[in-house]
Every structure is written in structure tokens, then in C-alpha cells.
Amino acid sequence: MLKIIKLLTDQINLSLQQLGWSSSLKALEEAPLPRIERIDSFERRFNEVENDRQRVKERLLNASQCII
């Protein structure tokens, strides 16, 4: 059982390093989470950006069809 825990902990630490996390797993566990209002704000902004991106994509498609 301890071997499995060690293996999983090593895999988690490697994955965290690949994500750019330079501290320990313990530090991640203790890191404060953002307030739900902040998360909601970012979600709204990401959705707005995605909608803008989709509109630009559609305009480019329409423009390229007019050229051809």
C-alpha cells in the first residue's frame, strides 16, 4: 500500500511540475481558492471572448466567400 501511495504521489508531483507548479503538493493543498464571485467573473469574460472569436470567425468566412 505504501508503494502505491509513493507511486501516486510521484506521479502527482511530476504532473504538477509539467503544469508549471514549482512548489510542493502540500502547498497546493493549502493554497487559497478564489471566491466564487471571482470565478463567475472570469467565466463571463471567457464566454464573451469566445462569442467575439466566433463572430470574427464568421465574418472572415463571409468575407472569404465574397472574394471567391
Side-chain angles (χ1 to χ4, degrees), residues 42-57:
F42 274 99
E43 183 179 19
R44 280 192 302 277
R45 290 171 59 193
F46 285 131
N47 287 337
E48 290 170 4
V49 168
E50 178 58 25
N51 290 339
D52 290 347
R53 189 192 68 78
Q54 187 62 35
R55 280 193 292 276
V56 168
K57 184 178 176 182

Side-chain angles (χ1 to χ4, degrees), residues 5-60:
I5 293 172
K6 171 80 168 104
L7 177 65
L8 292 173
T9 302
D10 290 346
Q11 289 176 345
I12 290 169
N13 285 324
L14 178 61
S15 295
L16 289 174
Q17 287 175 356
Q18 291 171 339
L19 291 171
W21 183 258
S22 60
S23 196
S24 68
L25 178 58
K26 181 75 172 163
L28 178 60
E29 291 172 344
E30 295 173 351
L33 296 174
R35 294 181 7 195
I36 191 68
E37 294 85 6
R38 190 69 172 152
I39 294 170
D40 289 343
S41 171
F42 274 99
E43 183 179 19
R44 280 192 302 277
R45 290 171 59 193
F46 285 131
N47 287 337
E48 290 170 4
V49 168
E50 178 58 25
N51 290 339
D52 290 347
R53 189 192 68 78
Q54 187 62 35
R55 280 193 292 276
V56 168
K57 184 178 176 182
E58 290 170 4
R59 286 182 179 176
L60 285 171

